[in-house]
Amino acid sequence: MQEFLGKHKRKIGYLMVLVCFVAVGLFTRGGQEAYGPWSLFPPVMLFEFAIMTKSVIEGFIWGGVLATFMVQRGAVFTAYMDGIQETIMNADNVYLIMIFLLIGIFIAFLKRSGAAAYFANWLASKTKNPKILLLIDWILGIILSVDEFMAGFTIGAAMTPVNDERKIPREMTAYVVRSVNVNPACMNPLNAWAIFIATTLESIGFAASGQGMSEFIKVIPFLFFNMIAMVISLLVILGVFPKLGGIKKAYQRVEAGGPVAPESAVVDESEEEIEVKKGVNLLSFIVPIVTLVAAAFFFEFNMVYGIMAATVVMVILYVIQGIVSVSDIVPIALEGIGDLVELTTFLVVGMTMAAAVSQIGFTEFVVGAISGFMTPWLLPVVIFVAFAFTEYLVTFNWTLYLIALPSVIGLAEAVGTNVYLAIAALVCAGVWGSNASFSSDNGVVVASACKVKLYEQNISQLAYMGIAVVLSAVAFLIAGIAMA
């Protein structure tokens, strides 16, 4: 039976999709504003399909189509295509798409010039200790936490080659990079996560105009998941915490003489080795990175402007150094854009599904389901666990905060729970989703930069993520009891 299931996983996945469509068609009606428990169907189907087939993008497409079918019925095709267009035209999504494509160009110049390889080789010359290299990854993530995409792409692209050379499994590299990506970024008042949440607190009337950040700073001490996830990865690096799950298997594979990359990424092993071109030195890497950070501050963390400015400075520097010719600029830029097409596609279909699931009342159903737990000490952990579950199925990122913060704050005030603790529980649930969900744009960024598939990256770190989420739930329960 197990052998049969192994050979026919994709067929079984399609059968499951068909069953879901039939069930929705028979037992729901089109045109409703909310679908209650039925709103769980699309994200649950997506999750099961992704696990079964390892095809995350296709799972998002089917999940989005099912959510659209639930409302639109016969007009599902045109409605879904309209949803994709609306996703692409949404100003916030355009901003993210432009960031991804520009980062693709930025990374392409770092790689093709050999600057990233030079930096990696320079680091490798300073130490042969894998623990120190991973610790450098961990520290760089915190230093570059002004922008999680910048941190993920830059550290992944620069450190993966040298980590490969020291026989560090790519799953481990990706896990470490991802653990210090969004987690410290969300606690950094200069990061877009913190700024967005602070602005949202103002827009819903919880904080006075201009006081959103000061209110969010009161939330930061309760961001238990962020801190626990970072500490666990540090302890794993230092060898204090044992290797578990997929990370343990990855190390066993390498120790047995296997490749540093998982099977699905072995194709990357045959890539042409990037030549460090004549004229490249440490400044060829440091100047672009420092410019990127400085530009982020100068343009008030509008990373489209920041990345573009850093790219212009980098190209001028490389032309002056004789690393890149003027005729190479456009081909390298197009190569960088091409490298990020899959990631951008993932972003579009993922956000299209998130929007469709939002329209069928998914988040409102979850809020309503937990509203019965009107106990001051229990509410924080219930908020965290409930939304951690939903965010694992399909992460809404910042949309979760827009939709759920008013209800969470209202519930906390009504039952006498510490409001900052309740807000932190919701924020942590969103951060957990960014760390662990198959729909996480952060996950795609890190997996792409570290040259692994998102599926393998998620599965390999699952044991540590599970421990972090359980310990966080315990922390919210203890804090809830102590502050009730």
Side-chain angles (χ1 to χ4, degrees):
M1 182 64 178
Q2 188 174 0
E3 183 179 350
F4 173 82
L5 292 175
K7 290 182 178 179
H8 300 281
K9 283 184 177 179
R10 183 164 290 274
K11 292 180 181 178
I12 296 172
Y14 287 134
L15 179 62
M16 177 190 67
V17 170
L18 178 61
V19 169
C20 287
F21 271 90
V22 171
V24 166
L26 290 175
F27 300 109
T28 67
R29 290 181 300 156
Q32 295 179 227
E33 293 185 0
Y35 286 83
W38 286 99
S39 63
L40 296 173
F41 250 55
V44 170
M45 185 192 74
L46 152 70
F47 182 75
E48 292 296 335
F49 187 89
I51 292 293
M52 196 172 296
T53 67
K54 301 183 181 181
S55 179
V56 181
I57 289 181
E58 189 176 350
F60 271 111
I61 293 173
W62 284 120
V65 171
L66 178 61
T68 304
F69 172 71
M70 199 175 288
V71 179
Q72 301 294 338
R73 300 304 191 190
V76 59
F77 175 76
T78 55
Y80 182 72
M81 295 308 298
D82 288 344
I84 289 179
Q85 292 181 57
E86 290 172 8
T87 296
I88 295 174
M89 292 188 295
N90 178 279
D92 291 335
N93 295 344
V94 170
Y95 175 78
L96 284 178
I97 291 170
M98 289 185 68
I99 284 179
F100 285 177
L101 297 181
L102 287 171
I103 285 180
I105 296 172
F106 184 84
I107 296 299
F109 276 102
L110 281 179
K111 289 171 61 178
R112 298 300 297 171
S113 67
Y118 183 93
F119 177 74
N121 293 336
W122 179 80
L123 282 176
S125 69
K126 302 301 179 184
T127 178
K128 294 184 178 181
N129 190 323
K131 289 183 180 180
I132 295 178
L133 287 172
L134 288 170
L135 187 60
I136 290 172
D137 297 348
W138 195 87
I139 294 171
L140 284 175
I142 297 174
I143 293 173
L144 296 177
S145 65
V146 290
D147 185 80
E148 65 275 10
F149 294 144
M150 175 180 69
F153 271 117
T154 304
I155 301 170
M159 296 302 295
T160 296
V162 69
N163 286 2
D164 285 357
E165 190 176 323
R166 294 293 180 260
K167 299 300 181 182
I168 299 173
R170 287 189 186 169
E171 295 97 321
M172 182 62 178
T173 300
Y175 164 60
V176 171
V177 173
R178 196 169 177 183
S179 72
V180 286
N181 200 2
V182 168
N183 292 320
C186 189
M187 297 188 291
N188 186 343
L190 300 176
N191 182 269
W193 277 72
I195 293 170
F196 176 82
I197 297 170
T199 303
T200 302
L201 292 177
E202 292 181 25
S203 68
I204 64 177
F206 177 76
S209 179
Q211 297 300 310
M213 185 56 71
S214 62
E215 290 296 305
F216 178 68
I217 289 174
K218 298 175 184 177
V219 174
I220 292 177
F222 302 118
L223 297 180
F224 300 129
F225 175 81
N226 304 52
M227 293 179 272
I228 290 171
M230 291 172 63
V231 169
I232 288 176
S233 67
L234 177 61
L235 295 178
V236 173
I237 291 170
L238 298 176
V240 177
F241 205 86
K243 297 178 180 65
L244 301 172
I247 298 295
K248 181 179 180 179
K249 291 179 181 177
Y251 271 95
Q252 290 173 341
R253 178 189 70 232
V254 174
E255 289 168 0
V260 293
E263 184 179 349
S264 65
V266 168
V267 64
D268 291 336
E269 300 297 318
S270 62
E271 288 181 350
E272 180 183 355
E273 186 176 348
I274 299 299
E275 178 187 357
V276 178
K277 296 186 177 181
K278 185 178 180 181
V280 172
N281 54 39
L282 206 55
L283 290 178
S284 305
F285 182 84
I286 292 176
V287 169
I289 299 303
V290 171
T291 303
L292 185 59
V293 175
F297 280 93
F298 182 80
F299 291 109
E300 298 179 345
F301 304 100
N302 185 315
M303 294 309 297
V304 170
Y305 297 158
I307 298 168
M308 191 67 225
T311 303
V312 170
V313 170
M314 175 169 57
V315 170
I316 293 173
L317 174 65
Y318 289 175
V319 170
I320 292 173
Q321 290 181 315
I323 300 171
V324 173
S325 66
V326 174
S327 61
D328 289 333
I329 294 175
V330 172
I332 293 176
L334 291 176
E335 178 185 321
I337 291 173
D339 290 342
L340 270 293
V341 167
E342 181 179 352
L343 189 153
T344 306
T345 302
F346 182 98
L347 177 72
V348 171
V349 297
M351 289 190 167
T352 299
M353 177 185 164
V357 170
S358 180
Q359 290 176 357
I360 60 177
F362 176 77
T363 305
E364 288 81 359
F365 169 71
V366 176
V367 171
I370 67 175
S371 63
F373 295 91
M374 293 291 188
T375 306
W377 59 271
L378 190 59
L379 187 60
V381 69
V382 169
I383 291 172
F384 174 71
V385 171
F387 284 107
F389 171 74
T390 62
E391 286 291 292
Y392 188 60
L393 296 178
V394 53
T395 182
F396 287 90
N397 289 321
W398 297 351
T399 304
L400 172 71
Y401 304 143
L402 283 174
I403 296 173
L405 265 176
S407 298
V408 165
I409 291 172
L411 282 171
E413 291 176 338
V415 303
T417 298
N418 183 287
V419 178
Y420 300 106
L421 181 62
I423 293 172
L426 182 67
V427 172
C428 282
V431 174
W432 146 262
S434 186
N435 273 266
S437 175
F438 287 98
S439 65
S440 166
D441 51 6
N442 171 49
V444 180
V445 166
V446 173
S448 174
C450 297
K451 299 180 183 178
V452 294
K453 295 294 184 182
L454 177 61
Y455 178 85
E456 276 81 8
Q457 202 279 307
N458 270 26
I459 294 299
S460 65
Q461 67 168 10
L462 190 58
Y464 299 123
M465 289 294 100
I467 292 170
V469 81
V470 169
L471 291 178
S472 300
V474 172
F476 277 112
L477 179 60
I478 294 172
I481 294 173
M483 304 180 73

PDB file of all heavy atoms in Angstrom, residues 106-136:
ATOM      1  N   PHE A 106      20.808  42.928  -8.508  1.00  0.00           N
ATOM      2  CA  PHE A 106      21.886  43.231  -7.551  1.00  0.00           C
ATOM      3  C   PHE A 106      22.741  41.989  -7.291  1.00  0.00           C
ATOM      4  O   PHE A 106      23.972  42.027  -7.361  1.00  0.00           O
ATOM      5  CB  PHE A 106      21.255  43.744  -6.252  1.00  0.00           C
ATOM      6  CG  PHE A 106      22.239  44.188  -5.208  1.00  0.00           C
ATOM      7  CD1 PHE A 106      22.766  45.469  -5.249  1.00  0.00           C
ATOM      8  CD2 PHE A 106      22.640  43.337  -4.189  1.00  0.00           C
ATOM      9  CE1 PHE A 106      23.672  45.896  -4.283  1.00  0.00           C
ATOM     10  CE2 PHE A 106      23.543  43.747  -3.222  1.00  0.00           C
ATOM     11  CZ  PHE A 106      24.064  45.041  -3.272  1.00  0.00           C
ATOM     12  N   ILE A 107      22.077  40.865  -7.017  1.00  0.00           N
ATOM     13  CA  ILE A 107      22.791  39.617  -6.733  1.00  0.00           C
ATOM     14  C   ILE A 107      23.528  39.121  -7.974  1.00  0.00           C
ATOM     15  O   ILE A 107      24.639  38.583  -7.881  1.00  0.00           O
ATOM     16  CB  ILE A 107      21.819  38.536  -6.224  1.00  0.00           C
ATOM     17  CG1 ILE A 107      21.211  38.962  -4.875  1.00  0.00           C
ATOM     18  CG2 ILE A 107      22.523  37.199  -6.088  1.00  0.00           C
ATOM     19  CD1 ILE A 107      22.213  39.149  -3.771  1.00  0.00           C
ATOM     20  N   ALA A 108      22.926  39.303  -9.156  1.00  0.00           N
ATOM     21  CA  ALA A 108      23.574  38.849 -10.394  1.00  0.00           C
ATOM     22  C   ALA A 108      24.919  39.543 -10.598  1.00  0.00           C
ATOM     23  O   ALA A 108      25.903  38.906 -10.988  1.00  0.00           O
ATOM     24  CB  ALA A 108      22.654  39.108 -11.585  1.00  0.00           C
ATOM     25  N   PHE A 109      24.981  40.839 -10.326  1.00  0.00           N
ATOM     26  CA  PHE A 109      26.247  41.566 -10.467  1.00  0.00           C
ATOM     27  C   PHE A 109      27.271  41.102  -9.429  1.00  0.00           C
ATOM     28  O   PHE A 109      28.459  40.962  -9.733  1.00  0.00           O
ATOM     29  CB  PHE A 109      26.015  43.079 -10.368  1.00  0.00           C
ATOM     30  CG  PHE A 109      25.594  43.712 -11.663  1.00  0.00           C
ATOM     31  CD1 PHE A 109      24.274  44.039 -11.899  1.00  0.00           C
ATOM     32  CD2 PHE A 109      26.530  43.978 -12.657  1.00  0.00           C
ATOM     33  CE1 PHE A 109      23.876  44.613 -13.099  1.00  0.00           C
ATOM     34  CE2 PHE A 109      26.149  44.558 -13.858  1.00  0.00           C
ATOM     35  CZ  PHE A 109      24.821  44.873 -14.085  1.00  0.00           C
ATOM     36  N   LEU A 110      26.800  40.865  -8.194  1.00  0.00           N
ATOM     37  CA  LEU A 110      27.710  40.365  -7.163  1.00  0.00           C
ATOM     38  C   LEU A 110      28.297  39.003  -7.553  1.00  0.00           C
ATOM     39  O   LEU A 110      29.478  38.736  -7.344  1.00  0.00           O
ATOM     40  CB  LEU A 110      26.981  40.233  -5.830  1.00  0.00           C
ATOM     41  CG  LEU A 110      26.748  41.501  -5.002  1.00  0.00           C
ATOM     42  CD1 LEU A 110      25.980  41.161  -3.735  1.00  0.00           C
ATOM     43  CD2 LEU A 110      28.065  42.187  -4.657  1.00  0.00           C
ATOM     44  N   LYS A 111      27.443  38.153  -8.144  1.00  0.00           N
ATOM     45  CA  LYS A 111      27.884  36.816  -8.505  1.00  0.00           C
ATOM     46  C   LYS A 111      28.754  36.832  -9.762  1.00  0.00           C
ATOM     47  O   LYS A 111      29.839  36.251  -9.793  1.00  0.00           O
ATOM     48  CB  LYS A 111      26.673  35.911  -8.719  1.00  0.00           C
ATOM     49  CG  LYS A 111      25.922  35.547  -7.442  1.00  0.00           C
ATOM     50  CD  LYS A 111      24.621  34.829  -7.729  1.00  0.00           C
ATOM     51  CE  LYS A 111      24.839  33.515  -8.460  1.00  0.00           C
ATOM     52  NZ  LYS A 111      23.571  32.806  -8.695  1.00  0.00           N
ATOM     53  N   ARG A 112      28.275  37.484 -10.835  1.00  0.00           N
ATOM     54  CA  ARG A 112      28.979  37.432 -12.113  1.00  0.00           C
ATOM     55  C   ARG A 112      30.322  38.145 -12.060  1.00  0.00           C
ATOM     56  O   ARG A 112      31.253  37.787 -12.778  1.00  0.00           O
ATOM     57  CB  ARG A 112      28.116  38.025 -13.220  1.00  0.00           C
ATOM     58  CG  ARG A 112      26.808  37.286 -13.473  1.00  0.00           C
ATOM     59  CD  ARG A 112      27.036  35.850 -13.869  1.00  0.00           C
ATOM     60  NE  ARG A 112      27.774  35.726 -15.133  1.00  0.00           N
ATOM     61  CZ  ARG A 112      28.249  34.587 -15.620  1.00  0.00           C
ATOM     62  NH1 ARG A 112      28.106  33.470 -14.926  1.00  0.00           N
ATOM     63  NH2 ARG A 112      28.884  34.566 -16.771  1.00  0.00           N
ATOM     64  N   SER A 113      30.410  39.156 -11.227  1.00  0.00           N
ATOM     65  CA  SER A 113      31.686  39.858 -11.088  1.00  0.00           C
ATOM     66  C   SER A 113      32.693  39.035 -10.318  1.00  0.00           C
ATOM     67  O   SER A 113      33.906  39.236 -10.420  1.00  0.00           O
ATOM     68  CB  SER A 113      31.472  41.197 -10.369  1.00  0.00           C
ATOM     69  OG  SER A 113      31.076  40.970  -9.018  1.00  0.00           O
ATOM     70  N   GLY A 114      32.172  38.102  -9.529  1.00  0.00           N
ATOM     71  CA  GLY A 114      33.035  37.328  -8.655  1.00  0.00           C
ATOM     72  C   GLY A 114      33.225  37.972  -7.294  1.00  0.00           C
ATOM     73  O   GLY A 114      33.966  37.452  -6.453  1.00  0.00           O
ATOM     74  N   ALA A 115      32.553  39.109  -7.056  1.00  0.00           N
ATOM     75  CA  ALA A 115      32.716  39.813  -5.779  1.00  0.00           C
ATOM     76  C   ALA A 115      32.217  38.972  -4.612  1.00  0.00           C
ATOM     77  O   ALA A 115      32.849  38.920  -3.551  1.00  0.00           O
ATOM     78  CB  ALA A 115      31.983  41.155  -5.827  1.00  0.00           C
ATOM     79  N   ALA A 116      31.061  38.308  -4.802  1.00  0.00           N
ATOM     80  CA  ALA A 116      30.523  37.456  -3.739  1.00  0.00           C
ATOM     81  C   ALA A 116      31.460  36.280  -3.467  1.00  0.00           C
ATOM     82  O   ALA A 116      31.702  35.906  -2.317  1.00  0.00           O
ATOM     83  CB  ALA A 116      29.129  36.955  -4.116  1.00  0.00           C
ATOM     84  N   ALA A 117      31.996  35.689  -4.556  1.00  0.00           N
ATOM     85  CA  ALA A 117      32.929  34.571  -4.400  1.00  0.00           C
ATOM     86  C   ALA A 117      34.209  35.037  -3.703  1.00  0.00           C
ATOM     87  O   ALA A 117      34.773  34.315  -2.870  1.00  0.00           O
ATOM     88  CB  ALA A 117      33.248  33.973  -5.764  1.00  0.00           C
ATOM     89  N   TYR A 118      34.669  36.238  -4.038  1.00  0.00           N
ATOM     90  CA  TYR A 118      35.873  36.772  -3.407  1.00  0.00           C
ATOM     91  C   TYR A 118      35.659  36.932  -1.900  1.00  0.00           C
ATOM     92  O   TYR A 118      36.522  36.566  -1.091  1.00  0.00           O
ATOM     93  CB  TYR A 118      36.234  38.121  -4.029  1.00  0.00           C
ATOM     94  CG  TYR A 118      37.519  38.729  -3.490  1.00  0.00           C
ATOM     95  CD1 TYR A 118      38.733  38.513  -4.132  1.00  0.00           C
ATOM     96  CD2 TYR A 118      37.518  39.508  -2.333  1.00  0.00           C
ATOM     97  CE1 TYR A 118      39.923  39.050  -3.635  1.00  0.00           C
ATOM     98  CE2 TYR A 118      38.690  40.048  -1.821  1.00  0.00           C
ATOM     99  CZ  TYR A 118      39.878  39.817  -2.475  1.00  0.00           C
ATOM    100  OH  TYR A 118      41.047  40.359  -1.979  1.00  0.00           O
ATOM    101  N   PHE A 119      34.507  37.505  -1.542  1.00  0.00           N
ATOM    102  CA  PHE A 119      34.196  37.700  -0.131  1.00  0.00           C
ATOM    103  C   PHE A 119      34.117  36.355   0.592  1.00  0.00           C
ATOM    104  O   PHE A 119      34.639  36.198   1.703  1.00  0.00           O
ATOM    105  CB  PHE A 119      32.875  38.467   0.008  1.00  0.00           C
ATOM    106  CG  PHE A 119      32.433  38.668   1.429  1.00  0.00           C
ATOM    107  CD1 PHE A 119      33.078  39.588   2.241  1.00  0.00           C
ATOM    108  CD2 PHE A 119      31.372  37.947   1.953  1.00  0.00           C
ATOM    109  CE1 PHE A 119      32.675  39.784   3.561  1.00  0.00           C
ATOM    110  CE2 PHE A 119      30.961  38.132   3.271  1.00  0.00           C
ATOM    111  CZ  PHE A 119      31.617  39.052   4.065  1.00  0.00           C
ATOM    112  N   ALA A 120      33.466  35.379  -0.062  1.00  0.00           N
ATOM    113  CA  ALA A 120      33.343  34.056   0.541  1.00  0.00           C
ATOM    114  C   ALA A 120      34.715  33.413   0.716  1.00  0.00           C
ATOM    115  O   ALA A 120      35.014  32.816   1.759  1.00  0.00           O
ATOM    116  CB  ALA A 120      32.450  33.176  -0.325  1.00  0.00           C
ATOM    117  N   ASN A 121      35.555  33.538  -0.291  1.00  0.00           N
ATOM    118  CA  ASN A 121      36.908  32.972  -0.202  1.00  0.00           C
ATOM    119  C   ASN A 121      37.731  33.674   0.882  1.00  0.00           C
ATOM    120  O   ASN A 121      38.545  33.039   1.565  1.00  0.00           O
ATOM    121  CB  ASN A 121      37.621  33.091  -1.553  1.00  0.00           C
ATOM    122  CG  ASN A 121      36.983  32.213  -2.613  1.00  0.00           C
ATOM    123  OD1 ASN A 121      36.332  31.223  -2.299  1.00  0.00           O
ATOM    124  ND2 ASN A 121      37.155  32.581  -3.875  1.00  0.00           N
ATOM    125  N   TRP A 122      37.521  34.971   1.005  1.00  0.00           N
ATOM    126  CA  TRP A 122      38.233  35.730   2.040  1.00  0.00           C
ATOM    127  C   TRP A 122      37.838  35.236   3.429  1.00  0.00           C
ATOM    128  O   TRP A 122      38.697  35.042   4.296  1.00  0.00           O
ATOM    129  CB  TRP A 122      37.915  37.222   1.892  1.00  0.00           C
ATOM    130  CG  TRP A 122      38.570  38.091   2.919  1.00  0.00           C
ATOM    131  CD1 TRP A 122      39.866  38.532   2.927  1.00  0.00           C
ATOM    132  CD2 TRP A 122      37.965  38.611   4.116  1.00  0.00           C
ATOM    133  NE1 TRP A 122      40.106  39.299   4.046  1.00  0.00           N
ATOM    134  CE2 TRP A 122      38.957  39.370   4.800  1.00  0.00           C
ATOM    135  CE3 TRP A 122      36.687  38.526   4.660  1.00  0.00           C
ATOM    136  CZ2 TRP A 122      38.684  40.022   5.996  1.00  0.00           C
ATOM    137  CZ3 TRP A 122      36.429  39.171   5.864  1.00  0.00           C
ATOM    138  CH2 TRP A 122      37.416  39.912   6.518  1.00  0.00           C
ATOM    139  N   LEU A 123      36.533  35.022   3.618  1.00  0.00           N
ATOM    140  CA  LEU A 123      36.072  34.487   4.895  1.00  0.00           C
ATOM    141  C   LEU A 123      36.631  33.087   5.127  1.00  0.00           C
ATOM    142  O   LEU A 123      37.040  32.738   6.239  1.00  0.00           O
ATOM    143  CB  LEU A 123      34.545  34.446   4.932  1.00  0.00           C
ATOM    144  CG  LEU A 123      33.811  35.756   5.191  1.00  0.00           C
ATOM    145  CD1 LEU A 123      32.308  35.541   5.088  1.00  0.00           C
ATOM    146  CD2 LEU A 123      34.154  36.325   6.555  1.00  0.00           C
ATOM    147  N   ALA A 124      36.631  32.288   4.056  1.00  0.00           N
ATOM    148  CA  ALA A 124      37.110  30.915   4.179  1.00  0.00           C
ATOM    149  C   ALA A 124      38.582  30.881   4.570  1.00  0.00           C
ATOM    150  O   ALA A 124      39.025  29.952   5.270  1.00  0.00           O
ATOM    151  CB  ALA A 124      36.899  30.171   2.871  1.00  0.00           C
ATOM    152  N   SER A 125      39.333  31.887   4.131  1.00  0.00           N
ATOM    153  CA  SER A 125      40.758  31.925   4.456  1.00  0.00           C
ATOM    154  C   SER A 125      41.000  32.258   5.930  1.00  0.00           C
ATOM    155  O   SER A 125      42.083  32.006   6.457  1.00  0.00           O
ATOM    156  CB  SER A 125      41.477  32.955   3.573  1.00  0.00           C
ATOM    157  OG  SER A 125      41.086  34.281   3.919  1.00  0.00           O
ATOM    158  N   LYS A 126      39.993  32.833   6.574  1.00  0.00           N
ATOM    159  CA  LYS A 126      40.141  33.234   7.977  1.00  0.00           C
ATOM    160  C   LYS A 126      39.813  32.103   8.948  1.00  0.00           C
ATOM    161  O   LYS A 126      40.268  32.102  10.087  1.00  0.00           O
ATOM    162  CB  LYS A 126      39.240  34.434   8.285  1.00  0.00           C
ATOM    163  CG  LYS A 126      39.494  35.660   7.406  1.00  0.00           C
ATOM    164  CD  LYS A 126      40.912  36.163   7.520  1.00  0.00           C
ATOM    165  CE  LYS A 126      41.159  37.355   6.619  1.00  0.00           C
ATOM    166  NZ  LYS A 126      42.576  37.806   6.658  1.00  0.00           N
ATOM    167  N   THR A 127      39.004  31.175   8.487  1.00  0.00           N
ATOM    168  CA  THR A 127      38.621  30.075   9.376  1.00  0.00           C
ATOM    169  C   THR A 127      38.204  28.859   8.561  1.00  0.00           C
ATOM    170  O   THR A 127      37.656  28.998   7.461  1.00  0.00           O
ATOM    171  CB  THR A 127      37.474  30.472  10.310  1.00  0.00           C
ATOM    172  OG1 THR A 127      37.114  29.348  11.132  1.00  0.00           O
ATOM    173  CG2 THR A 127      36.234  30.892   9.529  1.00  0.00           C
ATOM    174  N   LYS A 128      38.484  27.706   9.087  1.00  0.00           N
ATOM    175  CA  LYS A 128      38.018  26.465   8.486  1.00  0.00           C
ATOM    176  C   LYS A 128      36.972  25.794   9.372  1.00  0.00           C
ATOM    177  O   LYS A 128      36.536  24.680   9.080  1.00  0.00           O
ATOM    178  CB  LYS A 128      39.199  25.515   8.259  1.00  0.00           C
ATOM    179  CG  LYS A 128      40.205  26.024   7.228  1.00  0.00           C
ATOM    180  CD  LYS A 128      41.294  24.997   6.970  1.00  0.00           C
ATOM    181  CE  LYS A 128      42.264  25.511   5.909  1.00  0.00           C
ATOM    182  NZ  LYS A 128      43.335  24.523   5.614  1.00  0.00           N
ATOM    183  N   ASN A 129      36.597  26.480  10.428  1.00  0.00           N
ATOM    184  CA  ASN A 129      35.657  25.927  11.397  1.00  0.00           C
ATOM    185  C   ASN A 129      34.219  26.165  10.928  1.00  0.00           C
ATOM    186  O   ASN A 129      33.782  27.315  10.827  1.00  0.00           O
ATOM    187  CB  ASN A 129      35.877  26.596  12.758  1.00  0.00           C
ATOM    188  CG  ASN A 129      35.108  25.906  13.862  1.00  0.00           C
ATOM    189  OD1 ASN A 129      33.995  25.447  13.663  1.00  0.00           O
ATOM    190  ND2 ASN A 129      35.713  25.837  15.038  1.00  0.00           N
ATOM    191  N   PRO A 130      33.450  25.105  10.620  1.00  0.00           N
ATOM    192  CA  PRO A 130      32.069  25.261  10.152  1.00  0.00           C
ATOM    193  C   PRO A 130      31.189  26.016  11.150  1.00  0.00           C
ATOM    194  O   PRO A 130      30.311  26.780  10.749  1.00  0.00           O
ATOM    195  CB  PRO A 130      31.586  23.822   9.968  1.00  0.00           C
ATOM    196  CG  PRO A 130      32.823  23.029   9.774  1.00  0.00           C
ATOM    197  CD  PRO A 130      33.857  23.697  10.637  1.00  0.00           C
ATOM    198  N   LYS A 131      31.439  25.799  12.451  1.00  0.00           N
ATOM    199  CA  LYS A 131      30.629  26.486  13.462  1.00  0.00           C
ATOM    200  C   LYS A 131      30.819  27.996  13.380  1.00  0.00           C
ATOM    201  O   LYS A 131      29.855  28.773  13.486  1.00  0.00           O
ATOM    202  CB  LYS A 131      30.996  25.998  14.865  1.00  0.00           C
ATOM    203  CG  LYS A 131      30.547  24.581  15.180  1.00  0.00           C
ATOM    204  CD  LYS A 131      30.889  24.229  16.622  1.00  0.00           C
ATOM    205  CE  LYS A 131      30.437  22.811  16.950  1.00  0.00           C
ATOM    206  NZ  LYS A 131      30.749  22.442  18.359  1.00  0.00           N
ATOM    207  N   ILE A 132      32.060  28.428  13.165  1.00  0.00           N
ATOM    208  CA  ILE A 132      32.319  29.870  13.081  1.00  0.00           C
ATOM    209  C   ILE A 132      31.672  30.460  11.838  1.00  0.00           C
ATOM    210  O   ILE A 132      31.120  31.564  11.875  1.00  0.00           O
ATOM    211  CB  ILE A 132      33.837  30.141  13.098  1.00  0.00           C
ATOM    212  CG1 ILE A 132      34.431  29.725  14.451  1.00  0.00           C
ATOM    213  CG2 ILE A 132      34.131  31.614  12.822  1.00  0.00           C
ATOM    214  CD1 ILE A 132      35.927  29.900  14.557  1.00  0.00           C
ATOM    215  N   LEU A 133      31.714  29.719  10.727  1.00  0.00           N
ATOM    216  CA  LEU A 133      31.082  30.207   9.498  1.00  0.00           C
ATOM    217  C   LEU A 133      29.566  30.368   9.690  1.00  0.00           C
ATOM    218  O   LEU A 133      28.976  31.361   9.269  1.00  0.00           O
ATOM    219  CB  LEU A 133      31.364  29.249   8.339  1.00  0.00           C
ATOM    220  CG  LEU A 133      32.801  29.273   7.800  1.00  0.00           C
ATOM    221  CD1 LEU A 133      33.005  28.161   6.790  1.00  0.00           C
ATOM    222  CD2 LEU A 133      33.109  30.623   7.178  1.00  0.00           C
ATOM    223  N   LEU A 134      28.945  29.388  10.321  1.00  0.00           N
ATOM    224  CA  LEU A 134      27.505  29.482  10.581  1.00  0.00           C
ATOM    225  C   LEU A 134      27.210  30.602  11.576  1.00  0.00           C
ATOM    226  O   LEU A 134      26.173  31.275  11.464  1.00  0.00           O
ATOM    227  CB  LEU A 134      26.983  28.149  11.109  1.00  0.00           C
ATOM    228  CG  LEU A 134      26.914  27.020  10.083  1.00  0.00           C
ATOM    229  CD1 LEU A 134      26.607  25.685  10.756  1.00  0.00           C
ATOM    230  CD2 LEU A 134      25.858  27.315   9.010  1.00  0.00           C
ATOM    231  N   LEU A 135      28.104  30.793  12.526  1.00  0.00           N
ATOM    232  CA  LEU A 135      27.924  31.890  13.474  1.00  0.00           C
ATOM    233  C   LEU A 135      28.027  33.235  12.755  1.00  0.00           C
ATOM    234  O   LEU A 135      27.294  34.176  13.085  1.00  0.00           O
ATOM    235  CB  LEU A 135      28.981  31.794  14.574  1.00  0.00           C
ATOM    236  CG  LEU A 135      28.836  32.775  15.748  1.00  0.00           C
ATOM    237  CD1 LEU A 135      27.495  32.567  16.453  1.00  0.00           C
ATOM    238  CD2 LEU A 135      29.986  32.589  16.740  1.00  0.00           C
ATOM    239  N   ILE A 136      28.899  33.319  11.753  1.00  0.00           N
ATOM    240  CA  ILE A 136      28.991  34.538  10.948  1.00  0.00           C
ATOM    241  C   ILE A 136      27.670  34.774  10.216  1.00  0.00           C
ATOM    242  O   ILE A 136      27.173  35.903  10.155  1.00  0.00           O
ATOM    243  CB  ILE A 136      30.163  34.427   9.948  1.00  0.00           C
ATOM    244  CG1 ILE A 136      31.500  34.488  10.684  1.00  0.00           C
ATOM    245  CG2 ILE A 136      30.085  35.544   8.904  1.00  0.00           C
ATOM    246  CD1 ILE A 136      32.699  34.193   9.810  1.00  0.00           C
TER     247      ILE A 136
END
